[in-house]
Amino acid sequence: PLRALIFDVDGTLAETEEAHRMAFNDSFDNAGLGWHWSREDYRRLLKTTGGKERIRAFLAESGKSDAGLDIAALHAAKTRRYVEILESGGLALREGVEALMVAARGAGMRLAIATTTSRPNVEALCRCCWGKPAAELFDVIAAGDEVATKKPAPDVYALALERLGLPAGEVLALEDSRNGVLSAQRAGIAVLVTPSVYTAGEDFAGAEIVASLAPGDLPSRIRDALSVGA
Ligand code: XBP
Ligand code: MG
């Protein structure tokens, strides 16, 4: 039986990556670094999950030195800026997310999060999209800053399972990226993937791909488990 849904955050609950990109660029400007990540740069850099890891990947690919650069402080400033951007509003849930959560609750399932981003950003998104704290919406939250290794490693999904107290076979992961799919699969969890603006066209081998999480787009076995019609 399906007892819980585990949601990825960035790209799955909402299209957050442009807000992340803006927060990176604003914090680079404020630090006087003279760096700017275009959409094209960001698509490539997104393959490295985690903001601090992404900054390091950028330094490596552009042959820049990290001497004198406090990556943790730069990334902390990026998180503060991201939270500010979300507080100014304008970010909506992706189609079908709210309906899926309501249906899952109605079917007695629990809801969890497994994300690469950090807890403050999850809180900011929940405030922005629901006007509620994350703990009122999700029973379990496993975030990137709580695990040793980020997606595509299984750690964050394994942590979500541990906190749910459920075996991998009784949950379903909802993802938008190849790294997320790999992370869930490596934790033994089946994945439903809804590609997002930055991840469309990635290789989602082994996962079931849906256009959106709206009831009409869900596989019939999931609709049956949730008792929702098309
Ligand atoms: C999302 C990410 C994150 C965000 C920024 O991956 O890769 O790095 O872009 O997060 P996923 P930070 O949706 O697979 O969890 O808070 O680390 O900057
Ligand atoms: Mg994602």
Side-chain angles (χ1 to χ4, degrees):
L2 190 53
R3 298 199 193 279
L5 301 181
I6 307 182
F7 287 86
D8 166 51
V9 173
D10 294 305
T12 300
L13 292 182
E15 292 281 9
T16 54
E17 290 300 351
E18 281 299 281
H20 280 294
R21 187 172 70 90
M22 191 186 292
F24 279 111
N25 283 329
D26 288 351
S27 57
F28 299 158
D29 284 349
N30 289 334
L33 290 166
W35 305 345
H36 180 86
W37 290 353
S38 67
R39 286 200 167 97
E40 193 190 335
D41 294 329
Y42 201 62
R43 183 178 299 277
R44 183 180 69 250
L45 291 164
L46 263 178
K47 306 271 185 276
T48 303
T49 61
K52 290 188 282 288
E53 293 81 353
R54 188 165 302 142
I55 292 167
R56 281 189 212 105
F58 171 71
L59 290 171
E61 72 165 32
S62 48
K64 298 183 200 298
S65 154
D66 64 357
L69 186 66
D70 185 343
I71 292 178
L74 180 61
H75 186 257
K78 178 262 170 181
T79 298
R80 288 193 296 276
R81 182 65 188 127
Y82 179 80
V83 169
E84 241 173 53
I85 292 168
L86 262 59
E87 279 168 355
S88 71
L91 205 64
L93 293 172
R94 285 190 65 191
E95 186 191 355
V97 167
E98 176 67 12
L100 177 55
M101 287 172 61
V102 169
R105 285 270 183 230
M109 291 179 201
R110 280 186 292 155
L111 302 176
I113 276 179
T115 179
T116 292
T117 203
S118 58
R119 186 68 192 244
N121 291 355
V122 176
E123 288 299 340
L125 187 74
C126 291
R127 285 271 172 213
C128 171
C129 292
W130 283 280
K132 288 181 187 171
E136 280 182 28
L137 296 154
F138 297 94
D139 304 287
V140 159
I141 297 165
D145 50 355
E146 299 182 279
V147 293
T149 317
K150 292 177 182 170
K151 299 176 188 178
D155 304 32
V156 76
Y157 274 99
L159 182 62
L161 284 179
E162 185 189 313
R163 289 181 179 165
L164 283 165
L166 290 174
E170 295 185 4
V171 309
L172 178 69
L174 293 314
E175 273 288 352
D176 72 304
S177 72
R178 170 171 172 78
N179 281 319
V181 167
L182 290 172
S183 173
Q185 287 174 339
R186 287 169 183 169
I189 300 170
V191 191
L192 206 58
V193 44
T194 171
S196 58
V197 282
Y198 272 108
T199 63
E202 288 185 358
D203 175 3
F204 302 118
E208 204 159 359
I209 303 176
V210 293
S212 87
L213 298 178
D217 286 342
L218 297 176
S220 52
R221 70 183 163 80
I222 307 292
R223 278 207 301 268
D224 292 348
L226 295 166
S227 315
V228 293

